[in-house]
Amino acid sequence: MDEAAEPHRVQFRILGSFECWDGSDRIRVGGPVHEKVLVTLLLEPQRVLPVFRLVGAAWDENAPATAAHQVRKAVAELRQRIPGGRDLIVTEGPGYRVLATPAQVDLSRFTEGLKQARAAAVAGQSAYAMTILREALALWRGPLLAGAGGSVLSAASAALEERRLTAVEQLFDLRLAGGESSELIGELREFIDAHPLRETLRGQLMLALFRSGRQADALEEFTKVRDFLIDELGIGPGDALSELHNAVLRNSPELAAPQLPDTAPLTLEDTPSTLPYDLRDFTGREEEVRELLGFVEEAPGSGPLIVAIDGMGGSGKTSLAVRAAHQLAGNYPDAQLYIDLRGFTPNGRPLSASAAAEALLRMLGVPGDRIPDDVEGRIGLWRRTMSTHRMLLLLDNAVDDSQVRPLLASPTETLVLVTSRALLVDLDAAHTVSLGVMPPRDSVALVEGVLGRTRAENEPEAVAQLTELCGHLPLALRIATARLRKRPRWTVRYLVDRLRDDAHRLAELNSGERSVEVTLRLSYEGLTAETREAFRLLGQYPGTEINTYAAGALLGTGARDAEEVLENLLDMHLLQQHETGRYAFHDLVRSFAQNLSRGGARRLPEADGERPAEVGGDELMRAVRRLLDFALAATDAACDLLFPGRVGIDHSEHPPSAAELPPLETVEQARDWLEREQDSLLAAVSLAYRWEMDRHVGLLAANVVFPLDLRGRLEEFRELSRVAVAASRRLGDAALLRLSLSNLAVACWKLGRLTEGIEVSEEALALAISLDDRRGEAKDTGVLGLLLSTLGRYDEALPRLRQSIEIKRQLGAERAEAESLTNLSSLYTERGRYPEAVEAATRAVTLSRSIGSVDKEVEGLTDLAAARIGLGELAEAAELLGRARKLADFISPADLSLVLALSAEVADRLGESAQAAEWGESALHLGDLSGVPMREAAVGNIIGRFHTRNGRYSPALELHARAHDAASRIGYRVEEARALAGMADALDHMGEQGAASAHRESAREAFAAMGAPMPPGA
């Protein structure tokens, strides 16, 4: 049974009552029909079973007329309820096939175990054969579906029961051949009581009795079975049993137990203890220690009691195990033994089970001449010794569970602690403790404990940064603090600065024989050549977390194949997982993976003799290109759904991605995916820029700016656009440069960088005209008009906005036209031309709704409401703003603040003071508006006027003053003037007529210069 059960995949247990498990979660697959259909398929995995076979299994001879339909319905529901069910149960021809692997089904593992045991017995490997048989038989929990499966499944269950009993008899034969006798009698009687017709079991009992010196009892057993067979079947015993009876009568020497090496029970004169010393400054891990000790204290049964501790290299597995061993040592008085199995050791090979058994026997004081030379005899002696003593055994640094299993005996009162970098999923009945990194508080405590509290408390901020740079990994923290102790003149800050260089961080974490890089390399070299290659490529992923689809793109595989690689690395603790389907590198592991790639075209020696892996730059470049192609294709699909009507980007010179894309079929899926992957997409653009894949930079940035704008991440919007502009210039692509400049101009407008925005948009417009790019000309003319309008240069802005709208209308660019119409509506509202503002905004809303562009619809509704407020049509404005609020998920926080501010104004003027106050408060505190000065100014002025109307003059004055600062800082002329007028009103009511008059005069001059009307009452 060498094939371990695959972790984190669905497991099926059909040998007994049916159970389906997804990790530690039990899955409810449905009712009796669902279970019968699935069990029938699992009895013959990988084979197509026609529907009529499944009908027979579910109903025997009493199938209803709708049976075939019910089977198909059951299969459909199984596919939904079982994780990965659609790939597990496939339709083929007239029926279905289940694609479960042998490791997923207990029956397959049982069958494989019996096969391996037979082969081992034939090869003379009796001890190994017994181990495998015990493991296989331990899987048996009873008949299929606990005997409730009907005649078809009962027949299959009977055949399986026969195989089980044959295996039981084989195990008894091996145990008898190994010298056991009296200890078998009780077990044999239990099986005979359940199966009285099994003559083989009767013969084994007779032989065990005879070898135990109970010849008369052996003869009496023969009499019992003979009488039973005659009474039940009318026949006597078979030839084999009769011959055994005669041999017992003759006291034949052939029946004597085989001669075995001297295995007299070992008497321990002392209490051998080879445990390493417990660390005086052991820090943290209280929860894990408490969990381990609690399990040992409460665990039922006769053992062996196994605790498997796994974690990445350097996570403190051995230290934890040693600490627990010392605390538990008093409960195991015969011996406390420690052995390094050398699973991950520099310049070493894992210790074989035979060598480990010999070493453990010698620790117990067994003389060399009593230790058998053959593997089976040596392991057998160890297991017998283990079963007769109450010991604590610490098996450190195991490579996998197959290295550990032969060293375990049952029954025994031994506690076995096993540590490994691999998740030991196939140690039956083992309790698992998985170690992650240390919590920040424990990391700081470890530094203080090793370095000294006084020195650490002198630089608390640097100590916290040190723990972050060490990734909260105990080994890294101990190495770093050891270096500081050896260099008392170094400050913690000095070492922190050295560790900030990611390319050399691992080299800094090296002290004597301890090295984080060596520790990680041992885990890496324990992987297959294919997985090593995947690990190195995955190190190129720029984001914090990677999903299976992005991993598939990097590796050039499908998502399912990529998931298997990721799960393998997760089991080896070279990846971490905080959420199902998403994987992350520990910071130091990422540095190690990237260092493997920095060596250019050098060749890495492989630990297992496989062909060395090339690590050349061309291969890495292909992987990065696949990832960027995937990101471009996925963002195209998501943005097309979320921002309908947007102008598509010409990819004619760019080959399409061959990677499997995530499900992006609905607006919700697109929004969720973009939200989750936004930071990774930003990192992907930076990666493309570093690799000088400049076309990818420009094209991908043109997609990513959409969700950045939606979520109000405007500084990142601007910075991303600047990178795209730089890449486009480096590439020399005028069309891509125009697109990137246009996006940068929009970002500048939203951030209030109006002068910079005008310069950029003018360059973009000139490029569009030179390229005869009408869409580009329309876009850039409109952006330029928007910037000029914000500066209060309405006479220059108006013709540009009209020209932009005309071109967009000619091109049928409805989303773009709606965008410019809202900008035109804002201009008209600011100039007091409300009927024209209503007309423009109404058309913008109509166009947006026609193409399903919700974000543009909200913009149009907001501008239309502002125009209606200008006309005094408050009820209509309230209805429009209500529609806008319902669509709040589709606009940025800053834009929602404006919607709420206008809602507060309308509600207040309609006499709904409580609701107005609530919306006004929300508008001010929804988010930080300081990074969006145009919205800060507009919202501040609206809520300032609201406070003035309600007699709250001090807060009104403060809001108008802040709005004036924000507007003046960027040159937002109309809000600057509105702020002056608002301050004048507030000051008037506060009795400061002189200041009020000065502000009012300044406001009149500003409005007059723009050709805009003063607010009513100002």
Side-chain angles (χ1 to χ4, degrees):
M1 295 180 55
D2 294 332
E3 184 174 18
E6 298 178 35
H8 307 296
R9 294 194 59 181
V10 177
Q11 301 284 317
F12 300 99
R13 300 177 184 174
I14 66 174
L15 297 176
S17 58
F18 177 79
E19 295 179 4
C20 175
W21 294 86
D22 181 18
S24 60
D25 298 326
R26 186 166 179 177
I27 305 300
R28 167 74 174 166
V29 300
V33 171
H34 298 80
E35 290 188 353
K36 290 176 182 179
V37 167
L38 183 54
V39 168
T40 304
L41 289 167
L42 290 170
L43 284 171
E44 300 182 71
Q46 308 295 332
R47 291 189 59 184
V48 177
L49 297 187
V51 171
F52 73 82
R53 282 273 305 276
L54 301 177
V55 168
W59 288 280
D60 294 334
E61 301 297 327
N62 302 312
T66 60
H69 171 74
Q70 290 190 49
V71 165
R72 294 187 178 94
K73 181 181 177 184
V75 169
E77 291 170 346
L78 287 169
R79 287 169 169 165
Q80 292 178 345
R81 294 169 181 167
I82 299 172
R86 296 188 182 281
D87 296 322
L88 177 74
I89 307 173
V90 298
T91 304
E92 289 194 18
Y96 300 98
R97 178 154 64 113
V98 65
L99 301 181
T101 65
Q104 289 180 270
V105 187
D106 58 356
L107 173 58
S108 299
R109 296 173 62 200
F110 172 79
T111 303
E112 180 62 21
L114 301 190
K115 178 181 176 182
Q116 291 183 19
R118 285 194 297 272
V122 170
Q125 299 174 334
S126 300
Y128 181 63
M130 286 191 286
T131 298
I132 297 300
L133 280 171
R134 284 190 175 97
E135 292 176 356
L137 291 169
L139 296 171
W140 188 274
R141 296 176 296 112
L144 300 177
L145 293 179
S151 61
V152 174
L153 291 177
S154 292
S157 189
L160 292 174
E161 173 71 358
E162 179 63 30
R163 288 163 60 188
R164 180 181 80 102
L165 290 173
T166 300
V168 168
E169 292 166 350
Q170 182 187 6
L171 179 58
F172 280 129
D173 277 339
L174 290 169
R175 294 175 68 182
L176 285 164
E180 295 184 65
S181 52
S182 61
E183 56 264 59
L184 300 181
I185 294 172
E187 295 179 54
L188 282 164
R189 288 198 186 282
E190 290 181 9
F191 276 100
I192 288 170
D193 288 344
H195 308 280
L197 297 176
R198 304 287 296 194
E199 292 189 34
T200 299
L201 290 172
R202 298 277 194 170
Q204 290 168 332
L205 176 58
M206 290 172 61
L207 187 58
L209 289 166
F210 177 80
R211 290 179 178 176
S212 301
R214 299 168 60 181
Q215 183 181 21
D217 289 338
L219 293 172
E220 183 183 356
E221 187 63 31
F222 178 79
T223 302
K224 288 181 181 178
V225 67
R226 181 187 61 193
D227 294 344
F228 182 82
L229 290 172
I230 291 173
D231 290 343
E232 294 291 325
L233 303 178
I235 60 173
D239 293 342
L241 199 59
S242 297
E243 290 175 5
L244 175 61
H245 174 248
N246 291 331
V248 171
L249 281 172
R250 297 194 311 272
N251 200 14
S252 172
E254 296 177 356
L255 300 183
Q259 292 296 316
L260 298 174
D262 183 8
T263 58
L266 178 66
T267 301
L268 304 180
E269 297 180 1
D270 300 312
T271 301
S273 179
T274 61
L275 294 176
Y277 68 91
D278 189 14
L279 290 176
R280 179 182 59 82
D281 55 4
F282 182 90
T283 304
R285 302 299 192 196
E286 289 90 353
E287 182 178 344
E288 290 86 350
V289 171
R290 188 163 51 248
E291 176 189 347
L292 193 158
L293 297 178
F295 168 75
V296 173
E297 180 180 344
E298 299 171 6
S302 59
L305 203 57
I306 308 169
V307 178
I309 304 170
D310 61 81
M312 69 179 290
S315 60
K317 301 179 294 296
T318 301
S319 298
L320 172 67
V322 169
R323 158 97 3 156
H326 279 284
Q327 294 189 22
L328 293 166
N331 298 331
Y332 298 91
D334 291 342
Q336 303 98 39
L337 305 183
Y338 167 90
I339 186 170
D340 182 358
L341 296 179
R342 303 177 64 82
F344 302 90
T345 304
N347 304 316
R349 297 185 66 83
L351 208 61
S352 68
S354 172
E358 179 180 1
L360 290 166
L361 287 167
R362 291 185 182 277
M363 291 179 199
L364 292 173
V366 179
D369 58 2
R370 287 188 58 186
I371 300 176
D373 293 330
D374 64 292
V375 173
E376 289 79 9
R378 189 178 299 168
I379 292 177
L381 176 59
W382 160 251
R383 290 164 68 100
R384 286 191 293 276
T385 303
M386 179 182 180
S387 66
T388 57
H389 293 86
R390 188 172 177 82
M391 293 189 294
L392 187 152
L393 180 62
L394 203 171
L395 303 177
D396 191 26
N397 198 13
V399 67
D400 56 28
D401 36 36
S402 66
Q403 187 185 24
V404 173
R405 282 199 305 270
L407 299 174
L408 306 179
S410 183
T412 180
E413 294 186 74
T414 295
L415 168 64
V416 183
L417 304 178
V418 188
T419 73
S420 178
R421 299 185 187 189
L423 182 62
L424 304 180
V425 297
D426 208 28
L427 281 182
D428 293 333
H431 178 74
T432 298
V433 177
S434 292
L435 295 188
V437 297
M438 298 183 76
R441 183 173 60 182
D442 289 350
S443 296
V444 171
L446 191 154
V447 173
E448 291 176 348
V450 178
L451 189 60
R453 183 177 297 274
T454 301
R455 190 173 173 188
E457 288 181 347
N458 286 336
E459 299 182 82
E461 183 178 344
V463 167
Q465 292 172 351
L466 177 67
T467 63
E468 288 290 332
L469 289 167
C470 289
H472 302 286
L473 187 70
L475 175 62
L477 289 166
R478 288 190 176 276
I479 291 174
T481 50
R483 294 193 71 190
L484 287 170
R485 289 190 65 178
K486 291 177 182 178
R487 295 166 174 79
R489 295 187 179 181
W490 279 19
T491 62
V492 180
R493 170 64 58 195
Y494 177 72
L495 180 57
V496 164
D497 292 339
R498 292 174 67 99
L499 289 172
R500 289 194 188 281
D501 183 355
D502 187 64
H504 298 94
R505 186 181 305 171
L506 290 176
E508 293 288 341
L509 294 173
N510 181 20
S511 178
E513 295 182 355
R514 295 191 299 179
S515 165
V516 172
E517 183 169 11
V518 170
T519 298
L520 295 175
R521 184 172 290 277
L522 290 170
S523 296
Y524 170 77
E525 290 177 350
L527 305 173
T528 65
E530 183 179 281
T531 309
R532 282 192 289 269
E533 180 74 0
F535 172 78
R536 186 178 56 78
L537 293 180
L538 289 168
Q540 296 300 310
Y541 188 72
T544 302
E545 292 185 326
I546 187 170
N547 60 60
T548 55
Y549 295 96
L554 255 180
L555 302 179
T557 70
R560 176 172 287 276
D561 290 338
E563 182 180 33
E564 291 184 6
V565 173
L566 294 167
E567 289 289 322
N568 187 9
L569 292 171
L570 181 65
D571 290 342
M572 292 301 297
H573 291 279
L574 287 170
L575 282 178
Q576 301 172 335
Q577 186 174 65
H578 308 295
E579 181 182 346
T580 301
R582 301 183 70 79
Y583 305 81
F585 277 107
H586 184 279
D587 288 345
L588 297 178
V589 179
R590 181 189 296 278
S591 295
F592 173 70
Q594 292 176 345
N595 283 351
L596 291 174
S597 302
R598 289 192 179 106
R602 61 188 175 87
R603 296 166 72 88
L604 292 176
E606 300 296 341
D608 52 10
E610 298 181 57
R611 180 179 62 82
E614 293 286 351
V615 292
D618 289 346
E619 180 189 352
L620 291 178
M621 180 170 286
R622 286 193 295 271
V624 170
R625 191 180 301 279
R626 288 193 301 267
L627 175 66
L628 297 175
D629 286 344
F630 159 80
L632 184 57
T635 52
D636 273 343
C639 289
D640 285 346
L641 278 167
L642 201 55
F643 308 101
R646 74 186 188 115
V647 178
I649 304 171
D650 183 9
H651 292 180
S652 57
E653 298 180 9
H654 195 90
S657 171
E660 181 181 354
L661 297 183
L664 293 170
E665 299 171 358
T666 66
V667 169
E668 290 73 20
Q669 288 176 332
R671 183 168 56 241
D672 291 346
W673 184 83
L674 284 171
E675 184 75 23
R676 183 180 288 270
E677 301 298 331
Q678 200 161 89
D679 290 334
S680 293
L681 291 169
L682 285 169
V685 175
S686 297
L687 178 69
Y689 189 79
R690 291 197 303 273
W691 281 84
E692 298 187 12
M693 297 183 183
D694 292 328
R695 180 165 294 280
H696 284 91
V697 173
L699 295 176
L700 186 55
N703 284 342
V704 178
V705 295
F706 278 89
L708 289 177
D709 184 21
L710 181 64
R711 290 304 170 211
R713 297 173 62 169
L714 301 181
E715 287 292 353
E716 290 164 300
F717 181 176
R718 176 174 175 266
E719 182 56 33
L720 183 66
S721 299
R722 284 167 58 86
V723 171
V725 167
S728 301
R729 292 194 196 280
R730 186 166 65 184
L731 183 64
D733 187 320
L736 196 58
L737 176 59
R738 188 219 63 78
L739 173 64
S740 303
L741 287 167
S742 183
N743 285 329
L744 178 56
V746 172
C748 288
W749 173 74
K750 288 178 176 287
L751 286 166
R753 296 174 173 269
L754 305 180
T755 302
E756 178 186 349
I758 288 176
E759 293 175 0
V760 170
S761 63
E762 286 178 341
E763 182 182 359
L765 178 58
L767 281 170
I769 294 171
S770 69
L771 293 168
D772 195 22
D773 177 1
R774 293 284 285 166
R775 287 186 181 275
E777 182 182 353
K779 171 68 179 293
D780 298 319
T781 301
V783 172
L784 184 56
L786 176 62
L787 288 158
L788 292 168
S789 176
T790 306
L791 286 169
R793 294 159 62 178
Y794 297 129
D795 291 339
E796 298 174 70
L798 184 57
R800 286 178 170 83
L801 288 173
R802 286 173 172 167
Q803 180 186 0
S804 172
I805 292 168
E806 181 60 29
I807 299 174
K808 290 172 180 176
R809 189 169 298 167
Q810 292 172 6
L811 295 172
E814 294 169 307
R815 176 186 174 88
E817 183 185 349
E819 184 176 62
S820 288
L821 283 166
T822 58
N823 295 334
L824 180 62
S825 175
S826 294
L827 184 153
Y828 282 142
T829 295
E830 290 169 5
R831 301 197 76 171
R833 296 165 62 172
Y834 300 119
E836 292 166 286
V838 167
E839 181 183 355
T842 300
R843 176 161 172 77
V845 171
T846 302
L847 283 174
S848 299
R849 289 179 66 91
S850 71
I851 61 173
S853 179
V854 181
D855 57 324
K856 294 304 170 189
E857 180 183 354
V858 177
E859 292 177 11
L861 289 168
T862 306
D863 279 78
L864 183 53
R868 293 290 185 190
I869 293 171
L871 289 170
E873 298 172 353
L874 300 180
E876 291 84 349
E879 188 271 333
L880 293 166
L881 290 167
R883 287 163 58 186
R885 289 193 302 274
K886 290 179 181 179
L887 302 174
D889 285 346
F890 294 87
I891 57 175
S892 69
D895 287 344
L896 178 57
S897 292
L898 178 60
V899 171
L900 292 172
L902 289 172
S903 298
E905 177 177 356
V906 171
D908 180 54
R909 291 170 64 177
L910 289 173
E912 300 169 1
S913 56
Q915 182 63 79
E918 179 183 338
W919 279 331
E921 188 71 14
S922 297
L924 291 174
H925 298 101
L926 183 66
D928 182 10
L929 294 177
S930 61
V932 194
M934 285 192 299
R935 290 293 180 253
E936 182 183 13
V939 170
N941 280 328
I942 294 170
I943 304 302
R945 292 193 295 271
F946 163 64
H947 283 318
T948 296
R949 283 194 302 272
N950 288 275
R952 295 184 290 272
Y953 306 120
S954 291
L957 181 62
E958 181 182 351
L959 282 172
H960 285 306
R962 281 161 47 188
H964 184 265
D965 289 343
S968 300
R969 193 166 62 247
I970 64 174
Y972 192 2
R973 297 288 301 285
V974 70
E975 293 298 343
E976 186 179 353
R978 287 171 176 170
L980 288 168
M983 287 190 287
D985 285 346
L987 288 167
D988 246 346
H989 287 92
M990 296 170 72
E992 298 184 24
Q993 278 73 28
S997 178
H999 284 311
R1000 186 170 289 108
E1001 185 58 31
S1002 296
R1004 286 198 181 100
E1005 291 175 0
F1007 280 117
M1010 290 184 287
M1014 280 279 286

